[in-house]
Amino acid sequence: MAKDKLKRWAENKTFTHVFEPNLLPIIKEGKTFMKGEWRKKFYKNDNPLVIELGCGKGEYTVQLAEANPHINYLGIDVKGHRFNHGARIAKAKGLTNVAFLRTRIEFIEAFFAPNEVDEIWLTFSDPQPRDETGLKRITSSFFWNKYKHFIKDNGVIHIKHDNPMIYQNALEELEGTNYVIESHSEDVYGDYFQSLDEQWKKILSIRTFYESRWLEEGKKIHYVRFRIRQ
Ligand SMILES: C[S@@+](CC[C@H](N)C(=O)[O-])C[C@H]1O[C@@H](n2cnc3c(N)ncnc32)[C@H](O)[C@@H]1O
């Protein structure tokens, strides 16, 4: 496994669609990286930008990118050997609307300018059950308030998760805010799925590595989609 990780890390360095900036200048000197420049410097278009936080192997990033060539996708994770899977697939398929960024979500504001991001996917993020304040849980309102700095007004956040606590917390934290819940279900593949149109069925059927594992264990999958108001 260690050897495999080394191979994946080395391969990432050869990919022009993988960005692995040094975090030290960002943390210590308040430097930024590609902030406000993703479209101009990498995608070379003005298309919408969708990011997946904690993307793991990047299943959502790559499969959505393949289905929507006129939307830009960026998968973000601190573990480069994980998203190497997605980066490889994107390269093999010749997808030019996919990139990956290795960093910690805690410093996410260093990477995006106001209004730069259209949509955020949070897929099976680490639940951090002992984090009562939400300061570590990237699905918490503490983090939405960070995302608000760079997502467009009315931009969409999707949370897909196996953990009922994440789902309930999101609904509770949304209550009384001016964020608008667009859709939610505590059992995506139950009756809710039958009520969806074909496009949403396709989108919500994308299975990540962790989702497949939880489904095999018989867990239900929860989903919340809401719009962020500035
Ligand atoms: C449970 S896995 C889910 C991965 C993938 N979304 C899936 O569904 O298969 C959580 C992912 O989030 C990443 N992660 C956790 N905390 C992070 C943080 N603070 N910054 C960046 N990535 C983080 C982990 O490296 C891991 O790949």
Side-chain angles (χ1 to χ4, degrees), residues 52-59 76-79 82 103-106 122-128 136 138 208-211 214:
E52 184 186 4
L53 302 179
C55 68
K57 295 187 175 187
E59 290 88 348
I76 303 175
D77 203 292
V78 71
K79 296 192 175 160
R82 288 208 176 147
T103 196
R104 297 201 65 85
I105 313 296
E106 285 78 356
L122 292 154
T123 52
F124 302 87
S125 314
D126 290 335
Q128 307 283 4
K136 291 186 189 152
I138 64 172
T208 71
F209 176 79
Y210 276 88
E211 176 168 0
W214 306 136

Side-chain angles (χ1 to χ4, degrees), residues 91-142:
K91 187 178 179 200
K93 288 182 183 272
L95 301 177
T96 54
N97 58 334
V98 181
F100 288 90
L101 167 66
R102 185 166 69 78
T103 196
R104 297 201 65 85
I105 313 296
E106 285 78 356
F107 307 108
I108 196 75
E109 288 149 288
F111 299 91
F112 302 103
N115 298 316
E116 193 170 8
V117 171
D118 293 78
E119 241 173 78
I120 298 176
W121 278 88
L122 292 154
T123 52
F124 302 87
S125 314
D126 290 335
Q128 307 283 4
R130 275 182 257 160
D131 175 25
E132 284 173 13
T133 53
L135 299 183
K136 291 186 189 152
R137 207 170 52 247
I138 64 172
T139 54
S140 75
S141 54
F142 172 76

